[in-house]
Amino acid sequence: MSNYHKYVKVRFGIALNSYALPTGNAEGYWFKAYEPLVPGDMVVVEVRDTFTLATVLDVAPMPVGFTGQVTKAVLSKINTNAYTHGKQLDEQRKELKKRMDERVKALQEDALYEMLAEKDPELKSMLEAYREVQ
């Protein structure tokens, strides 16, 4: 059991990218932290009788500019590694599929021209001329 104890200022909501800014009080709220956290970490925090997501704004040994008693705590840091890795794989699959589809289309087009050129001498001469200027 760790005896780590600091305070973190958080803003409710999380930002998965720079376009989605966290919501809530822009100044933030102070919570107890029982594990090392840094600004930008996404956390689950205790609020009233439930939990919510928040983004860490600041870490301090004592709450700065707050004179009340901090009674609520951070439950846990959110580990987004698997999520981030999965999203990267999704993007890679999407890009590879797009490139494969483009390549298949080009190959199908070539095969079609070849097949039809065997049956049509005029198309065959046009295809040969096209390949010479390519």
Side-chain angles (χ1 to χ4, degrees):
M1 178 67 76
S2 170
N3 62 0
Y4 182 89
H5 179 92
K6 291 215 176 178
Y7 294 91
V8 294
K9 183 186 257 188
V10 304
R11 184 166 40 188
F12 297 131
I14 58 173
L16 296 178
N17 58 49
S18 60
Y19 304 110
L21 297 176
T23 58
N25 180 350
E27 295 298 313
Y29 300 93
W30 287 99
F31 286 81
K32 295 175 188 176
Y34 300 110
E35 65 181 307
L37 298 169
V38 296
D41 280 348
M42 293 179 277
V43 294
V44 178
V45 294
E46 176 187 8
V47 290
R48 294 190 183 109
D49 296 326
T50 188
F51 301 102
T52 193
L53 302 177
T55 302
V56 174
L57 300 175
D58 191 14
V59 179
M62 294 297 293
V64 178
F66 179 74
T67 57
Q69 183 177 6
V70 178
T71 60
K72 302 295 183 181
V74 172
L75 175 69
S76 180
K77 177 180 173 180
I78 299 172
N79 182 340
T80 60
N81 292 343
Y83 170 81
T84 302
H85 181 68
K87 293 296 273 185
Q88 289 170 344
L89 289 177
D90 288 346
E91 284 300 314
Q92 288 175 354
R93 277 190 287 273
K94 183 178 174 181
E95 180 60 30
L96 283 170
K97 176 79 167 91
K98 178 183 170 191
R99 290 176 47 208
M100 288 188 316
D101 288 347
E102 289 169 355
R103 185 71 183 130
V104 166
K105 182 180 176 187
L107 290 171
Q108 285 175 333
E109 193 174 87
D110 269 359
L112 179 63
Y113 288 149
E114 284 287 334
M115 183 180 72
L116 294 174
E118 289 176 14
K119 298 182 188 287
D120 183 347
E122 186 179 346
L123 180 59
K124 183 176 183 174
S125 64
M126 287 190 297
L127 183 58
E128 289 170 356
Y130 176 77
R131 288 183 175 156
E132 285 177 16
V133 296
Q134 206 174 14

